[in-house]
Amino acid sequence: MSIWNPEYETMPRHRLEEIQLQRLKWTLNWVYERVDWYRKKFDSIGFKPSHLRSLEDVRNLPFTTKHDLREGYPFSLFAVPLEQVVRIHSSSGTTGKPVVVGYTRGDLNTWAELVARIATAAGVQRGDVCQISFGYGLFTGGFGLHYGLERIGATVVPVSAGQSERQIQIMKDFGSTVLVCTPSYALHLAEVAEQMEVSKEDLNLRVGMFGAEPWSEGMRKEIEDRLGLQATDNYGLTEVMGPGVAGECRERNGMHINEDHFLVEVIDPETLEPVEPGEVGELVFTTLTKEAFPVIRFRTRDLTRLIPEPCACGRTFMRMEKVRGRTDDMIIVRGVNIFPSQVEAALVEIEGVEPHFQIIVDRKAHLDELEVMVEMNEKFVTDSMKKLVQFQKEVEAKLAQKLGIRAKVTLVEPRTIERTAGKAKRVIDKRQL
Amino acid sequence: MPVKQISVFLENKSGRLYDLAKVLGDNQINMIALTVAETGDYGVVRIIADKAEKAVQVLKDNGFTVSETDVIGVVVPDRPGGLASVLEVLKGNNLNIEYLYCFAGPTKDTAIDIMRIEDVTKAEDIIRRSGFEVLEKIDTID
C-alpha cells in the first residue's frame, strides 16, 4: 500500500507536534504582521504571537467564523498582496457574500501535494486515467483534484460536471479507472450507464474519490456494486483549502487529516471547550502553512469525532470520521450549501408569498431534490391557473438565483405550515444519509 | 352584471375537497357547478353557488383561501354546435377565453357556458348583441 510522502505521513507524533508548533508560530506571526483583522483581534485580547509556547496555547486565541471571513469580502483577509496571488476560488456564496480565498504559488504547490497524498491513500497511482466530474470553476473541487492527480502523474480527464451520457461515453472510450465527483453524482452516473446499457464490465473503473457532500455506508456499497470500484471518502472546505484536508486510506475507517498543514481541534459547540479525545464535537482548523489565506481556529460547523487509535495503514496522522451533522441548519444539496435563511431572504423579496416556508430534501434516483413549500398570500390567490403557475415559476427563478441550484416550489395554502413558538422547523431531510 | 364565481386555492391533499364541500353543505349552500383546475401539487376549485356572498364568507371563516371572479354565463342551445355558435362570436371579435366550463341549463334544450374572459364587460356586451342570453346570476335555477 503506497504512501505519497512517507516522511511526513508516517512521522512519529512527537516529531509531528514539533513541526506543528514551529509552523503555528510562523502562521501567527504571518497573520499578525499582514492581516489587520487578525492583528486587531489578537490585540483586543492582549495576545502577541510570541506568547505562544505550546500547541495547547492555541486555545487562547479567538475563533474565526464563516461570518468573519465573509465580512472580509473580497480580499481584506488575504495575507499577501494580490500580485502574489496566482489563483482565486470562492465558496458558493449561498448565504450572502461568498468567502473568497486566494492561493500563492506556494499554496498551490502545497495543495497539489496534499491532494496527491489523499489520492494515493485512496489507491490512485501513476497510470490511472482519472475522470474528474466535479465542476471546474470557483468551486475548489475540480481544480483541487486536477492538480493533485497530475502531481501523481496520473492521466487527468477534466470532464467537469454534467452531460451524463457523454460522461459514460468518455468513461468507456477512454477506459477511465478513477472517478472523481460527488457520491450522489456517482450513483446518478451508474443509473445513466444502465440506461445506456453500459455494464460495469464495459467500464474500467477501479477507484472512486467522492466528496463535497454527506453520504452513508449504504450508499458506498451501492456505488461500489453498481460501478465496480472501491469508493473512498475525502474531506475539505474552501475556507481551509479545498479538497485535500483529509482523505481515507484503503483501511476505509476514517479520513487521515494532513496534520502537518492543518491543526485540528474538536470543541463543544456550546461551551467552546475542547471535548475529550474521541468525543463528538465541532471541527476547528488552523492552517499551518498557508500564505495567501491563512485561517486561525476556523469553526467549520461540521460535527464529527477524531479517531485517536493508530491506523493499520502506517500513517500517523489522526483520522476523522465522516461528518455526521452541522451545528447550524445548513444542508448540503448536490454539493451546494444551503441555509434556510437564504430561502427566507429570497421570499421576502417576492410580493405575494409569505415568509413561511419549509424545505424538503429528498433523494430520488440518487439525486438530491430540493423542494420549497411556500405559503401563498391570500391577496394573491387568483382563479387563473396560468397566473398561479407563472407565479410559481417566478418564485422558482428567484430561488435558483439565490441558492445557485434549482428548487421545486410548491405553493401551499396560507397558514398551513406549522408555526412553532421556538425555532421553526424549516428543513425536513428525508435522505437516508 | 357578470356572474360571481368563487375560486378557492386548494392544496392537493386528501380530504381537502371534502372539507370544502362539507362547510358549504353545513351552511345550506348549494353548488350549481364546480370544476377543478389542478397541477400536481395544488389546484383552484371554481364554484358557482347560490348565495355566493354567503359562500365566500363561510369559506373564509373556515380558513379557505378564496377569491371572487367575474365570469360570463351564457345560455346556449343544448344541441350539436351549440357551444361553437357562441365561440364563433368571440372568435370574430378577437376575444380570448382563459377557461370555460359548461353544465346543463334550466330547461331541457339549453346549456350554460361559464366563460372567463379578460374584458368581461366588453365580452358580455358583444355576446348579448349577438343574440345570446347572458345571465346576471345563477342562483335561481331550479
Side-chain angles (χ1 to χ4, degrees):
Chain A
M1 210 52 59
S2 92
I3 295 178
W4 178 254
N5 189 335
E7 184 192 344
Y8 281 89
E9 292 181 77
T10 62
M11 182 175 273
R13 294 292 305 180
H14 69 88
R15 174 78 188 111
L16 173 67
E17 285 168 14
E18 280 168 28
I19 288 180
Q20 285 183 316
L21 181 60
Q22 182 194 334
R23 290 179 171 180
L24 180 61
K25 283 179 179 164
W26 174 84
T27 298
L28 295 183
N29 276 308
W30 186 258
V31 298
Y32 190 78
E33 282 163 19
R34 292 157 175 260
V35 186
D36 286 348
W37 188 83
Y38 283 112
R39 183 170 49 250
K40 281 181 193 146
K41 216 150 179 204
F42 290 5
D43 283 347
S44 73
I45 57 160
F47 180 88
K48 295 270 178 281
S50 59
H51 294 166
L52 187 94
R53 296 269 172 258
S54 71
L55 283 176
E56 286 68 40
D57 286 348
V58 78
R59 293 178 196 160
N60 300 327
L61 288 166
F63 291 103
T64 304
T65 65
K66 194 174 173 81
H67 175 80
D68 295 330
L69 299 185
R70 203 181 287 136
E71 289 294 294
Y73 180 90
F75 305 141
S76 64
L77 289 172
F78 282 19
V80 297
L82 210 52
E83 55 264 34
Q84 289 174 36
V85 172
V86 295
R87 175 97 63 77
I88 282 174
H89 282 285
S90 155
S91 69
S92 46
T94 45
T95 44
K97 283 186 215 159
V99 175
V100 179
V101 298
Y103 302 79
T104 63
R105 201 168 291 286
D107 290 333
L108 289 185
N109 186 40
T110 305
W111 193 8
E113 153 79 17
L114 301 190
V115 172
R117 288 184 190 174
I118 64 158
T120 304
V124 182
Q125 56 203 26
R126 193 188 182 89
D128 269 314
V129 176
C130 305
Q131 180 159 343
I132 301 183
S133 310
F134 267 142
Y136 277 69
L138 286 173
F139 172 56
T140 50
F143 282 99
L145 264 301
H146 182 103
Y147 289 100
L149 292 168
E150 277 192 0
R151 175 69 56 97
I152 288 181
T155 307
V156 173
V157 186
V159 197
S160 195
Q163 292 184 275
S164 305
E165 294 197 354
R166 180 166 160 259
Q167 299 267 2
I168 300 299
Q169 198 63 49
I170 286 173
M171 201 178 280
K172 188 166 164 247
D173 296 347
F174 294 12
S176 305
T177 56
V178 176
L179 175 63
V180 178
C181 60
T182 60
S184 59
Y185 193 58
L187 271 181
H188 178 68
L189 286 177
E191 205 140 79
V192 173
E194 281 154 30
Q195 281 160 14
M196 292 169 71
E197 293 181 358
V198 173
S199 74
K200 63 182 174 188
E201 287 74 26
D202 299 328
L203 301 173
N204 205 16
L205 291 174
R206 202 171 63 74
V207 174
M209 289 183 69
F210 305 123
E213 66 180 19
W215 54 311
S216 61
E217 285 303 316
M219 212 167 151
R220 178 183 336 237
K221 193 170 178 312
E222 196 176 342
I223 296 173
E224 294 190 331
D225 287 348
R226 294 174 72 172
L227 287 174
L229 47 69
Q230 284 249 38
T232 64
D233 196 6
N234 65 81
Y235 175 85
L237 58 174
T238 307
E239 293 84 352
V240 174
M241 187 176 71
V245 174
E248 263 179 351
C249 60
R250 295 306 279 268
E251 296 292 317
R252 301 200 298 172
N253 180 18
M255 296 174 274
H256 290 280
I257 300 168
N258 278 311
E259 288 186 277
D260 52 339
H261 293 269
F262 309 105
L263 184 68
V264 61
E265 298 170 80
V266 183
I267 62 161
D268 178 328
E270 298 293 324
T271 65
L272 306 181
E273 293 298 319
V275 299
E276 293 297 315
E279 293 292 304
V280 174
E282 179 181 336
L283 283 179
V284 172
F285 284 106
T286 300
T287 60
L288 297 176
T289 54
K290 272 180 81 189
E291 296 170 339
F293 197 84
V295 287
I296 308 297
R297 302 195 86 198
F298 177 68
R299 289 188 61 180
T300 63
R301 301 279 174 185
D302 284 331
L303 290 172
T304 189
R305 64 179 282 267
L306 298 182
I307 305 169
E309 295 79 26
C311 182
C313 76
R315 288 178 184 79
T316 49
F317 291 161
M318 193 87 83
R319 285 167 295 161
M320 59 179 272
E321 282 188 356
K322 271 182 192 305
V323 172
R324 50 177 84 186
R326 298 272 307 170
T327 63
D328 54 19
D329 48 10
M330 187 183 91
I331 43 171
I332 303 179
V333 180
R334 283 177 253 146
V336 177
N337 300 349
I338 308 268
F339 288 88
S341 55
Q342 296 170 255
V343 173
E344 188 161 351
L347 293 181
V348 294
E349 288 179 17
I350 304 169
E351 208 182 2
V353 292
E354 297 291 326
H356 297 292
F357 62 91
Q358 201 155 45
I359 299 169
I360 298 162
V361 201
D362 207 346
R363 188 163 280 171
K364 286 182 188 147
H366 312 297
L367 276 185
D368 290 342
E369 286 190 358
L370 185 64
E371 178 183 359
V372 181
M373 293 173 66
V374 179
E375 273 187 20
M376 286 288 290
N377 179 313
E378 205 135 9
K379 294 192 203 81
F380 278 78
V381 168
T382 152
D383 65 308
S384 165
M385 210 57 184
K386 192 173 73 184
K387 282 184 190 148
L388 281 173
V389 170
Q390 194 181 358
F391 182 70
Q392 178 192 337
K393 293 224 155 41
E394 274 170 39
V395 179
E396 282 179 348
K398 188 87 188 173
L399 281 175
Q401 180 203 336
K402 288 262 176 190
L403 303 179
I405 63 167
R406 225 190 67 76
K408 172 180 182 274
V409 167
T410 302
L411 301 174
V412 302
E413 294 175 49
R415 299 169 302 273
T416 52
I417 290 172
E418 195 188 342
R419 267 60 159 169
T420 42
K423 205 176 166 203
K425 178 122 180 90
R426 293 298 198 195
V427 180
I428 297 174
D429 199 336
K430 294 180 176 169
R431 295 175 294 187
Q432 307 281 312
L433 295 177
Chain B
M1 269 284 284
V3 171
K4 289 279 178 218
Q5 171 193 273
I6 304 160
S7 311
V8 188
F9 177 83
L10 277 193
E11 276 168 62
N12 186 1
K13 275 197 301 214
S14 85
R16 201 64 189 130
L17 193 56
Y18 163 78
D19 295 341
L20 176 126
K22 182 86 165 63
V23 164
L24 292 177
D26 289 350
N27 286 279
Q28 302 302 316
I29 292 161
N30 190 33
M31 290 185 276
I32 296 154
L34 178 147
T35 165
V36 181
E38 92 289 347
T39 68
D41 303 305
Y42 59 87
V44 177
V45 181
R46 298 161 182 156
I47 304 164
I48 303 290
D50 64 351
K51 306 181 205 118
E53 274 174 37
K54 186 182 174 191
V56 169
Q57 198 51 52
V58 160
L59 288 172
K60 280 191 175 163
D61 291 348
N62 282 278
F64 288 92
T65 309
V66 189
S67 64
E68 286 175 82
T69 317
D70 288 340
V71 292
I72 302 170
V74 189
V75 181
V76 296
D78 190 8
R79 58 163 169 78
L83 176 61
S85 63
V86 68
L87 294 181
E88 191 181 1
V89 172
L90 297 174
K91 178 177 172 237
N93 286 277
N94 272 326
L95 286 166
N96 207 19
I97 302 171
E98 189 157 335
Y99 56 80
L100 172 151
Y101 49 101
C102 311
F103 50 95
T107 59
K108 198 174 169 297
D109 52 358
T110 59
I112 294 173
D113 294 345
I114 300 290
M115 295 186 267
R116 170 80 160 104
I117 296 175
E118 197 60 48
D119 192 341
V120 183
T121 323
K122 184 182 166 197
E124 270 194 337
D125 195 44
I126 288 169
I127 295 166
R128 195 174 279 129
R129 279 196 281 123
S130 305
F132 289 93
E133 185 187 351
V134 177
L135 297 173
E136 300 257 307
K137 50 182 181 169
I138 314 189
D139 57 2
T140 50
I141 296 167
D142 38 34

